[in-house]
Amino acid sequence: MMKPIVLLFLVCLSWQTTQSQQHTWQEAFKILGIAWNKDGTLNRAIQIPMVDPTPYEDSVDPKPPALSQDIYLSPYSKAYVRLYIPLNPPKNKKLPLIVYLHGGDFVLFSASTVIFHNFCNDIASQFPAVVVSVEYRLAPENRLPAAFDDALNAILWLKNQSLGIGGRDPWLEYADFTKTFLLGSSAGANIAYHTALRALDFDLRPLKIKGILLNQAYFGGVRPTQSETRLINDAYVPLYINNVLWSLALPKNLNRDHEFCNPISGGTYLGRVFRLPKVYIKGDYGDPLVDRSVQLAQFLTSCRVPVYYRFNQGGFHGNELQNATAAQELYGDMKWFINDVNGLLEMPEGITTHLHASQ
């Protein structure tokens, strides 16, 4: 079970003591723990601990819930994935393959950050599943679509692994490549969505993406939604912090109605949406970003994409990383979504195919 932890990347709780409605870039940078270096890169002062992989049961004490290893995808770059398998994977059946994209507002953190490492340990052991956590490049040093490119490259690497091109990592022998799912939280959900759309242009066989799971997806737009206005001074993702983060993540001279930020605004992806597999969307009405997920769910439904939703009362952005009950509810939903291959398993209470209006 995941240990509660304070999510510094969501915005330090010092925000709660700030009463002024006028904010500056300098204030946002201070809260986020970032500063410009002279070469245009960011100095990221706030660091949630990073942890090494645990490739053996005795790598740490107590023993980990799952095994993990880092695999570099190219000798010419720093691109890598962290691969997870259960401690005792079944020998008589293959496991679903989950490609995970971590959160951090496109600007912060890593696949090795402890909260995301623990999350992947949990889903690898509890589902069980083979999990591939993608290390993607961060903005503003590498603005979007760099993160989308890195996620797609990881999927293409997995396709080669499924074909045995250049050999296959022994741990991936446990994976069922025909049951691949993309999973992301916050910014990672945005990356998962765009990567799924981009992947439609490629022949991935025998790998097959069977579904997409979007948890509290990090989307935006020029015009604030009702939830963003209602929760403008939210303790975790206040609107002015969002504005700064999107300015760092998007290509220069593009606004927040670009498709990288606002997936229902139009753009190059619209002709592909109807080809998406089933989608799970989870949001919380205490999260300023929730209306973006509601809008996406409405849009996907209009495109006849099979969509399953859970929109909870209350909550906040990232609550499953601090609240064990919320985490287990999310795990239960995801486990059902991934294992319900033929549509025969009972849907967990609280999931629906009908949309809720903003609360």
Side-chain angles (χ1 to χ4, degrees), residues 87-98:
L87 282 180
N88 298 296
K91 294 181 174 58
N92 57 350
K93 72 171 185 176
K94 301 285 187 177
L95 299 175
L97 177 61
I98 300 174

mmCIF file with all atom_site columns, all heavy atoms in Angstrom, residues 87-98:
data_model
loop_
_atom_site.group_PDB
_atom_site.id
_atom_site.type_symbol
_atom_site.label_atom_id
_atom_site.label_alt_id
_atom_site.label_comp_id
_atom_site.label_asym_id
_atom_site.label_entity_id
_atom_site.label_seq_id
_atom_site.pdbx_PDB_ins_code
_atom_site.Cartn_x
_atom_site.Cartn_y
_atom_site.Cartn_z
_atom_site.occupancy
_atom_site.B_iso_or_equiv
_atom_site.pdbx_formal_charge
_atom_site.auth_seq_id
_atom_site.auth_comp_id
_atom_site.auth_asym_id
_atom_site.auth_atom_id
_atom_site.pdbx_PDB_model_num
ATOM 1  N N   . LEU A 1 87 ? 6.936  -9.822  -7.603  1.00 0.00 ? 87 LEU A N   1
ATOM 2  C CA  . LEU A 1 87 ? 7.980  -10.665 -6.996  1.00 0.00 ? 87 LEU A CA  1
ATOM 3  C C   . LEU A 1 87 ? 7.901  -12.096 -7.499  1.00 0.00 ? 87 LEU A C   1
ATOM 4  O O   . LEU A 1 87 ? 8.919  -12.735 -7.770  1.00 0.00 ? 87 LEU A O   1
ATOM 5  C CB  . LEU A 1 87 ? 7.850  -10.639 -5.472  1.00 0.00 ? 87 LEU A CB  1
ATOM 6  C CG  . LEU A 1 87 ? 8.378  -9.416  -4.736  1.00 0.00 ? 87 LEU A CG  1
ATOM 7  C CD1 . LEU A 1 87 ? 8.170  -9.584  -3.237  1.00 0.00 ? 87 LEU A CD1 1
ATOM 8  C CD2 . LEU A 1 87 ? 9.859  -9.193  -5.043  1.00 0.00 ? 87 LEU A CD2 1
ATOM 9  N N   . ASN A 1 88 ? 6.689  -12.601 -7.634  1.00 0.00 ? 88 ASN A N   1
ATOM 10 C CA  . ASN A 1 88 ? 6.494  -13.980 -8.080  1.00 0.00 ? 88 ASN A CA  1
ATOM 11 C C   . ASN A 1 88 ? 5.505  -14.006 -9.242  1.00 0.00 ? 88 ASN A C   1
ATOM 12 O O   . ASN A 1 88 ? 4.331  -14.378 -9.077  1.00 0.00 ? 88 ASN A O   1
ATOM 13 C CB  . ASN A 1 88 ? 5.980  -14.850 -6.922  1.00 0.00 ? 88 ASN A CB  1
ATOM 14 C CG  . ASN A 1 88 ? 6.979  -14.919 -5.774  1.00 0.00 ? 88 ASN A CG  1
ATOM 15 O OD1 . ASN A 1 88 ? 8.075  -15.437 -5.937  1.00 0.00 ? 88 ASN A OD1 1
ATOM 16 N ND2 . ASN A 1 88 ? 6.592  -14.388 -4.620  1.00 0.00 ? 88 ASN A ND2 1
ATOM 17 N N   . PRO A 1 89 ? 5.937  -13.623 -10.419 1.00 0.00 ? 89 PRO A N   1
ATOM 18 C CA  . PRO A 1 89 ? 5.015  -13.593 -11.563 1.00 0.00 ? 89 PRO A CA  1
ATOM 19 C C   . PRO A 1 89 ? 4.537  -14.987 -11.916 1.00 0.00 ? 89 PRO A C   1
ATOM 20 O O   . PRO A 1 89 ? 5.284  -15.968 -11.761 1.00 0.00 ? 89 PRO A O   1
ATOM 21 C CB  . PRO A 1 89 ? 5.872  -12.999 -12.690 1.00 0.00 ? 89 PRO A CB  1
ATOM 22 C CG  . PRO A 1 89 ? 7.284  -13.232 -12.272 1.00 0.00 ? 89 PRO A CG  1
ATOM 23 C CD  . PRO A 1 89 ? 7.292  -13.192 -10.784 1.00 0.00 ? 89 PRO A CD  1
ATOM 24 N N   . PRO A 1 90 ? 3.294  -15.119 -12.370 1.00 0.00 ? 90 PRO A N   1
ATOM 25 C CA  . PRO A 1 90 ? 2.764  -16.449 -12.706 1.00 0.00 ? 90 PRO A CA  1
ATOM 26 C C   . PRO A 1 90 ? 3.521  -17.067 -13.872 1.00 0.00 ? 90 PRO A C   1
ATOM 27 O O   . PRO A 1 90 ? 3.964  -16.370 -14.791 1.00 0.00 ? 90 PRO A O   1
ATOM 28 C CB  . PRO A 1 90 ? 1.302  -16.157 -13.069 1.00 0.00 ? 90 PRO A CB  1
ATOM 29 C CG  . PRO A 1 90 ? 1.272  -14.719 -13.445 1.00 0.00 ? 90 PRO A CG  1
ATOM 30 C CD  . PRO A 1 90 ? 2.311  -14.053 -12.614 1.00 0.00 ? 90 PRO A CD  1
ATOM 31 N N   . LYS A 1 91 ? 3.671  -18.354 -13.823 1.00 0.00 ? 91 LYS A N   1
ATOM 32 C CA  . LYS A 1 91 ? 4.419  -19.053 -14.870 1.00 0.00 ? 91 LYS A CA  1
ATOM 33 C C   . LYS A 1 91 ? 3.514  -19.598 -15.955 1.00 0.00 ? 91 LYS A C   1
ATOM 34 O O   . LYS A 1 91 ? 3.992  -19.979 -17.028 1.00 0.00 ? 91 LYS A O   1
ATOM 35 C CB  . LYS A 1 91 ? 5.225  -20.199 -14.241 1.00 0.00 ? 91 LYS A CB  1
ATOM 36 C CG  . LYS A 1 91 ? 6.331  -19.735 -13.294 1.00 0.00 ? 91 LYS A CG  1
ATOM 37 C CD  . LYS A 1 91 ? 7.101  -20.908 -12.741 1.00 0.00 ? 91 LYS A CD  1
ATOM 38 C CE  . LYS A 1 91 ? 8.304  -20.455 -11.911 1.00 0.00 ? 91 LYS A CE  1
ATOM 39 N NZ  . LYS A 1 91 ? 7.941  -19.578 -10.793 1.00 0.00 ? 91 LYS A NZ  1
ATOM 40 N N   . ASN A 1 92 ? 2.205  -19.633 -15.690 1.00 0.00 ? 92 ASN A N   1
ATOM 41 C CA  . ASN A 1 92 ? 1.297  -20.268 -16.639 1.00 0.00 ? 92 ASN A CA  1
ATOM 42 C C   . ASN A 1 92 ? 0.422  -19.289 -17.407 1.00 0.00 ? 92 ASN A C   1
ATOM 43 O O   . ASN A 1 92 ? -0.464 -19.696 -18.156 1.00 0.00 ? 92 ASN A O   1
ATOM 44 C CB  . ASN A 1 92 ? 0.389  -21.276 -15.921 1.00 0.00 ? 92 ASN A CB  1
ATOM 45 C CG  . ASN A 1 92 ? -0.407 -20.618 -14.803 1.00 0.00 ? 92 ASN A CG  1
ATOM 46 O OD1 . ASN A 1 92 ? -0.156 -19.468 -14.442 1.00 0.00 ? 92 ASN A OD1 1
ATOM 47 N ND2 . ASN A 1 92 ? -1.376 -21.354 -14.264 1.00 0.00 ? 92 ASN A ND2 1
ATOM 48 N N   . LYS A 1 93 ? 0.636  -17.973 -17.218 1.00 0.00 ? 93 LYS A N   1
ATOM 49 C CA  . LYS A 1 93 ? -0.124 -17.008 -18.006 1.00 0.00 ? 93 LYS A CA  1
ATOM 50 C C   . LYS A 1 93 ? 0.659  -15.701 -18.105 1.00 0.00 ? 93 LYS A C   1
ATOM 51 O O   . LYS A 1 93 ? 1.497  -15.383 -17.258 1.00 0.00 ? 93 LYS A O   1
ATOM 52 C CB  . LYS A 1 93 ? -1.502 -16.755 -17.410 1.00 0.00 ? 93 LYS A CB  1
ATOM 53 C CG  . LYS A 1 93 ? -1.502 -15.946 -16.129 1.00 0.00 ? 93 LYS A CG  1
ATOM 54 C CD  . LYS A 1 93 ? -2.926 -15.556 -15.746 1.00 0.00 ? 93 LYS A CD  1
ATOM 55 C CE  . LYS A 1 93 ? -2.933 -14.629 -14.518 1.00 0.00 ? 93 LYS A CE  1
ATOM 56 N NZ  . LYS A 1 93 ? -4.288 -14.165 -14.198 1.00 0.00 ? 93 LYS A NZ  1
ATOM 57 N N   . LYS A 1 94 ? 0.367  -14.972 -19.171 1.00 0.00 ? 94 LYS A N   1
ATOM 58 C CA  . LYS A 1 94 ? 0.994  -13.672 -19.389 1.00 0.00 ? 94 LYS A CA  1
ATOM 59 C C   . LYS A 1 94 ? 0.236  -12.590 -18.624 1.00 0.00 ? 94 LYS A C   1
ATOM 60 O O   . LYS A 1 94 ? -0.962 -12.710 -18.361 1.00 0.00 ? 94 LYS A O   1
ATOM 61 C CB  . LYS A 1 94 ? 1.005  -13.330 -20.875 1.00 0.00 ? 94 LYS A CB  1
ATOM 62 C CG  . LYS A 1 94 ? 1.738  -14.332 -21.756 1.00 0.00 ? 94 LYS A CG  1
ATOM 63 C CD  . LYS A 1 94 ? 3.243  -14.217 -21.613 1.00 0.00 ? 94 LYS A CD  1
ATOM 64 C CE  . LYS A 1 94 ? 3.955  -15.091 -22.623 1.00 0.00 ? 94 LYS A CE  1
ATOM 65 N NZ  . LYS A 1 94 ? 5.427  -14.963 -22.561 1.00 0.00 ? 94 LYS A NZ  1
ATOM 66 N N   . LEU A 1 95 ? 0.951  -11.518 -18.294 1.00 0.00 ? 95 LEU A N   1
ATOM 67 C CA  . LEU A 1 95 ? 0.374  -10.408 -17.547 1.00 0.00 ? 95 LEU A CA  1
ATOM 68 C C   . LEU A 1 95 ? 0.131  -9.210  -18.454 1.00 0.00 ? 95 LEU A C   1
ATOM 69 O O   . LEU A 1 95 ? 0.872  -8.996  -19.423 1.00 0.00 ? 95 LEU A O   1
ATOM 70 C CB  . LEU A 1 95 ? 1.320  -9.984  -16.417 1.00 0.00 ? 95 LEU A CB  1
ATOM 71 C CG  . LEU A 1 95 ? 1.640  -11.032 -15.364 1.00 0.00 ? 95 LEU A CG  1
ATOM 72 C CD1 . LEU A 1 95 ? 2.676  -10.487 -14.383 1.00 0.00 ? 95 LEU A CD1 1
ATOM 73 C CD2 . LEU A 1 95 ? 0.372  -11.456 -14.629 1.00 0.00 ? 95 LEU A CD2 1
ATOM 74 N N   . PRO A 1 96 ? -0.908 -8.403  -18.155 1.00 0.00 ? 96 PRO A N   1
ATOM 75 C CA  . PRO A 1 96 ? -1.091 -7.175  -18.939 1.00 0.00 ? 96 PRO A CA  1
ATOM 76 C C   . PRO A 1 96 ? 0.129  -6.276  -18.822 1.00 0.00 ? 96 PRO A C   1
ATOM 77 O O   . PRO A 1 96 ? 0.843  -6.287  -17.806 1.00 0.00 ? 96 PRO A O   1
ATOM 78 C CB  . PRO A 1 96 ? -2.337 -6.540  -18.313 1.00 0.00 ? 96 PRO A CB  1
ATOM 79 C CG  . PRO A 1 96 ? -2.482 -7.173  -16.968 1.00 0.00 ? 96 PRO A CG  1
ATOM 80 C CD  . PRO A 1 96 ? -1.908 -8.548  -17.089 1.00 0.00 ? 96 PRO A CD  1
ATOM 81 N N   . LEU A 1 97 ? 0.369  -5.498  -19.857 1.00 0.00 ? 97 LEU A N   1
ATOM 82 C CA  . LEU A 1 97 ? 1.514  -4.593  -19.927 1.00 0.00 ? 97 LEU A CA  1
ATOM 83 C C   . LEU A 1 97 ? 1.007  -3.156  -19.789 1.00 0.00 ? 97 LEU A C   1
ATOM 84 O O   . LEU A 1 97 ? 0.178  -2.705  -20.593 1.00 0.00 ? 97 LEU A O   1
ATOM 85 C CB  . LEU A 1 97 ? 2.243  -4.776  -21.258 1.00 0.00 ? 97 LEU A CB  1
ATOM 86 C CG  . LEU A 1 97 ? 3.428  -3.871  -21.551 1.00 0.00 ? 97 LEU A CG  1
ATOM 87 C CD1 . LEU A 1 97 ? 4.528  -4.056  -20.512 1.00 0.00 ? 97 LEU A CD1 1
ATOM 88 C CD2 . LEU A 1 97 ? 3.956  -4.129  -22.957 1.00 0.00 ? 97 LEU A CD2 1
ATOM 89 N N   . ILE A 1 98 ? 1.482  -2.455  -18.779 1.00 0.00 ? 98 ILE A N   1
ATOM 90 C CA  . ILE A 1 98 ? 1.042  -1.087  -18.506 1.00 0.00 ? 98 ILE A CA  1
ATOM 91 C C   . ILE A 1 98 ? 2.201  -0.134  -18.741 1.00 0.00 ? 98 ILE A C   1
ATOM 92 O O   . ILE A 1 98 ? 3.263  -0.275  -18.126 1.00 0.00 ? 98 ILE A O   1
ATOM 93 C CB  . ILE A 1 98 ? 0.520  -0.947  -17.064 1.00 0.00 ? 98 ILE A CB  1
ATOM 94 C CG1 . ILE A 1 98 ? -0.663 -1.891  -16.833 1.00 0.00 ? 98 ILE A CG1 1
ATOM 95 C CG2 . ILE A 1 98 ? 0.124  0.500   -16.766 1.00 0.00 ? 98 ILE A CG2 1
ATOM 96 C CD1 . ILE A 1 98 ? -1.146 -1.916  -15.388 1.00 0.00 ? 98 ILE A CD1 1
#
